[in-house]
Amino acid sequence: MKTTLRTILTLAVAATCTMLVAPAAQAVCDAGHMCIYVNNDYSGTMRGFSNSKLSWGGFGLDDKASSASANGTSCSKSYYYDNRDWTGDYFYLNSYTITGANYQDPNLSNGAGYGTWATNNANDKISSANFASCS
């Protein structure tokens, strides 16, 4: 009985320690990038892009983003669009480096950033993006 109890206790402590050292999701993009994540809360596959204007289609990420963050270094905003040609519904996030506020959204389904998607579901709808308000 003591051996069984000791084994259970050891496994419980090991599981707790494993959870404590698990790496946290990266919520802030690397400097100079705009990022999308395929899952909520900045988890799953993450792609960061430094292009000034791009379409997600060429990367197999069209309509697959569930969370986003932005960290432009010379541009203070990152726009995310519904269509591949930078048109349609959109939202923008501020740059973490430049503004330090409103630079991420962990759940695009309940509205996103600022713009026409601010109060609408943007989950799995992003097709293109670009930096704006650049110095």
Side-chain angles (χ1 to χ4, degrees), residues 77-81 88-93 111-120 122:
K77 294 179 179 158
S78 296
Y79 281 80
Y80 301 82
Y81 296 93
D89 286 326
Y90 72 92
F91 69 91
Y92 73 86
L93 297 172
Y114 302 101
T116 60
W117 269 336
T119 58
N120 298 311

Side-chain angles (χ1 to χ4, degrees), residues 18-93:
T18 300
M19 289 189 304
L20 293 175
V21 298
Q26 180 184 1
V28 177
C29 291
D30 289 338
H33 290 77
M34 63 181 91
C35 298
I36 60 171
Y37 308 79
V38 298
N39 297 327
N40 289 339
D41 299 318
Y42 321 107
S43 64
T45 301
M46 184 276 286
R47 294 289 186 253
F49 297 91
S50 60
N51 308 45
S52 61
K53 191 173 189 179
L54 61 106
S55 174
W56 300 129
F59 301 95
L61 298 169
D62 191 25
D63 297 335
K64 294 191 181 191
S66 294
S67 53
S69 61
N71 194 12
T73 52
S74 62
C75 303
S76 62
K77 294 179 179 158
S78 296
Y79 281 80
Y80 301 82
Y81 296 93
D82 186 23
N83 300 321
R84 287 185 180 187
D85 62 353
W86 306 278
T87 62
D89 286 326
Y90 72 92
F91 69 91
Y92 73 86
L93 297 172

